[in-house]
Amino acid sequence: MEKHKILIVEDEVIIAEDLRDILESMGYEVVDVVMSAREAMQVLGSDDVDLVLLDIRIKGGKDGIDLAADINENFKIPFVFLTSHADTNTLERAKEVRPYGYLVKPFSEKEIHATIQMALSNFQSEQIKTQEDSAEEFILQDCLFVRHNGLLVKVFFNDILYFESDGNYTQVFTQDKKFVIRAILKDLERKLDEKQFARIHKSYLINLTYIEAIDSNEVHIAGKRIPLSRNQYSWLINHIKTL
């Protein structure tokens, strides 16, 4: 049986190495042990990883919950939080990024194994469901079909104001409706015409046709103020000029 590959993100060396030993004794393959979000993203971008064990308190500018949001945005990989902090505020923040498990230190080997197996199983079930749904939702040259209220609904690209990331889903906004599709924003971006749609923020992909105003921090579309990443302002202006 193929070993599941796990990335450990933990800045307490003793805990990290102990966790590595436990996982390897259970038959898992530990891809790497890193201490920061930056290191984790580098590993995820270059190695195959089946699951991330992620401490909430890690070194660097981003904590584990920030890293989890980036994982949701850029990769289809389940993650489990490791933490000694189970306060209400931490739990509320953690829930927003939809972890596949939550282990409070100190944890036992049985808890680790059960949580990992449950996370992998739930993720696999979701992927099967996603594949079934994506067989119905599809993109054509000038439109996409989405499942809505039990029907496959045609949505023309010209009617779409913007897309907003929602973890492994994407919300599609038109003038008067909102749809939800099972796709990450990064995958959608590859399939859309760059002359019509532009990624101006990690969570937003906009229809350039509907831009009403631009400043250094926001783009205004149909009364909605959409955040503009700091490094995207100049790019967006130049991009519009070349169209």
Side-chain angles (χ1 to χ4, degrees):
M1 183 179 295
E2 184 180 357
K3 291 184 177 181
H4 284 110
K5 299 178 180 180
I6 298 178
L7 171 65
I8 299 172
V9 187
E10 169 63 71
D11 62 2
E12 295 185 52
V13 177
I14 295 176
I15 293 177
E17 290 305 318
D18 185 45
L19 193 53
R20 183 204 289 269
D21 291 340
I22 291 172
L23 293 175
E24 289 179 345
S25 71
M26 292 177 178
Y28 299 109
E29 178 183 339
V30 176
V31 175
D32 206 342
V33 176
V34 298
M35 297 185 178
S36 68
R38 180 183 59 81
E39 293 172 314
M41 291 298 284
Q42 288 176 343
V43 173
L44 292 170
S46 60
D47 292 289
D48 290 332
V49 177
D50 297 314
L51 179 90
V52 182
L53 292 181
L54 175 55
D55 190 10
I56 288 180
R57 299 289 177 91
I58 53 176
K59 293 180 179 179
K62 292 186 176 183
D63 66 10
I65 297 175
D66 295 326
L67 172 56
D70 288 341
I71 292 173
N72 281 338
E73 176 69 20
N74 296 285
F75 304 99
K76 293 180 180 178
I77 300 173
F79 53 86
V80 170
F81 282 131
L82 311 172
T83 185
S84 54
H85 304 276
D87 59 277
T88 302
N89 289 337
T90 299
L91 286 171
E92 287 301 314
R93 283 189 64 215
K95 284 193 296 185
E96 291 179 1
V97 293
R98 303 188 193 93
Y100 284 78
Y102 200 102
L103 285 166
V104 179
K105 303 174 186 176
F107 31 74
S108 68
E109 293 186 19
K110 288 184 179 180
E111 289 174 325
I112 294 170
H113 184 61
T115 301
I116 290 175
Q117 287 298 303
M118 187 64 70
L120 291 169
S121 176
N122 288 340
F123 179 72
Q124 184 179 29
S125 297
E126 284 185 7
Q127 292 302 103
I128 292 172
K129 180 64 165 64
T130 298
Q131 290 171 4
E132 292 172 350
D133 289 348
S134 62
E136 298 176 340
E137 297 175 341
F138 52 90
I139 295 177
L140 299 179
Q141 185 174 359
D142 62 348
C143 67
L144 57 82
F145 278 84
V146 301
R147 181 154 290 282
H148 183 68
N149 294 332
L151 299 173
L152 275 177
V153 179
K154 179 188 285 188
V155 183
F156 287 98
F157 292 139
N158 288 339
D159 295 331
I160 296 173
L161 302 177
Y162 60 92
F163 299 90
E164 181 177 358
S165 173
D166 186 15
N168 289 328
Y169 297 81
T170 295
Q171 298 182 71
V172 184
F173 290 86
T174 65
Q175 288 281 6
D176 56 356
K177 292 181 180 179
K178 180 181 80 171
F179 305 96
V180 178
I181 59 177
R182 287 178 176 267
I184 61 175
L185 204 59
K186 189 175 181 179
D187 289 345
L188 271 175
E189 183 181 9
R190 295 193 191 103
K191 299 176 181 178
L192 298 175
D193 184 356
E194 63 180 12
K195 294 181 180 180
Q196 184 174 12
F197 293 92
R199 183 84 169 270
I200 63 166
H201 184 274
K202 67 178 184 179
S203 298
Y204 290 92
L205 181 63
I206 67 168
N207 189 334
L208 298 170
T209 306
Y210 288 101
I211 293 178
E212 297 170 346
I214 304 173
D215 63 33
S216 59
N217 299 308
E218 296 175 330
V219 171
H220 297 210
I221 293 180
K224 167 79 173 179
R225 295 187 174 188
I226 297 174
L228 175 63
S229 297
R230 285 179 296 179
N231 61 346
Q232 288 294 88
Y233 174 74
S234 297
W235 175 88
L236 179 61
I237 297 298
N238 291 328
H239 186 64
I240 291 173
K241 287 180 180 178
T242 60
L243 297 178

